Amino acid sequence: MMKYVKLLSVLSLFVFLNAACYYDVEEELYPVNTCDTTSVTYAVTVQNIIQENCYVCHSAASQQGGVILEGYTALKGYVDSGQLLGAIKQNSGFSPMPQGQPKLDDCTILKVETWITGGALDN
Ligand code: HEC
């Protein structure tokens, strides 16, 4: 019986240490709490991202390539066609955007993606 208890405690210690180790590594690879997507909306989040990174070429006035991303309705068309996400994630088959500039950072892309997954509401 004692032997069994000892074996159990050694085993649970091992599991504990292992879990702790695993957690450390995971935290390093995927930093937690660095990208807050809890309150993403069109008006507060997405519109600002598009305005900052895309209006220079895709406002109603500039409309490069005939693409207008200014305003909810215009943007929603590119959401529904999959072109908005394809372009900013730079997936093959889409023109990588923003053109001539570095890819948007992961958190910014995740915010846009979260908004789209939530139904791309005019909120
Ligand atoms: C420096 C100018 C410039 C910037 C900045 C820019 N674009 Fe573009 N974009 C273009 C041009 C020119 C085209 C048309 C030619 C092409 O598709 O490459 C285009 C095309 C597109 C298209 C249609 C792509 C397709 O596959 O048909 C989408 C969607 C788009 N842009 C989204 C964006 C988004 C989102 C941003 C901001 C993150 C952005 N663009 C920033 C110049 C720009």
Side-chain angles (χ1 to χ4, degrees):
M1 184 58 190
M2 274 314 283
K3 249 188 188 167
Y4 183 63
V5 169
K6 206 171 178 184
L7 179 67
L8 249 187
S9 53
V10 167
L11 260 181
S12 51
L13 182 68
F14 179 76
V15 168
F16 175 76
L17 285 178
N18 218 19
C21 250
Y22 187 73
Y23 183 70
D24 281 354
V25 172
E26 193 173 45
E27 201 171 37
E28 249 172 52
L29 286 174
Y30 310 101
V32 282
N33 295 332
T34 53
C35 187
D36 185 4
T37 58
T38 48
S39 53
V40 167
T41 65
Y42 170 71
V44 175
T45 323
V46 175
Q47 190 176 31
N48 286 328
I49 292 170
I50 302 298
Q51 188 167 3
E52 273 171 33
N53 298 285
C54 320
Y55 277 21
V56 63
C57 298
H58 296 303
S59 70
S62 43
Q63 49 179 294
Q64 284 198 26
V67 176
I68 300 175
L69 303 177
E70 185 175 344
Y72 173 80
T73 309
L75 187 67
K76 184 70 163 51
Y78 288 94
V79 169
D80 294 343
S81 70
Q83 283 171 292
L84 179 70
L85 207 53
I88 62 172
K89 290 181 90 169
Q90 310 198 343
N91 291 336
S92 68
F94 298 94
S95 302
M97 293 290 148
Q99 195 182 76
Q101 287 166 46
K103 192 178 178 183
L104 300 179
D105 65 84
D106 289 350
C107 184
T108 302
I109 293 173
L110 191 61
K111 283 175 179 173
V112 175
E113 198 166 9
T114 302
W115 173 68
I116 293 174
T117 309
L121 305 176
D122 187 5
N123 54 6

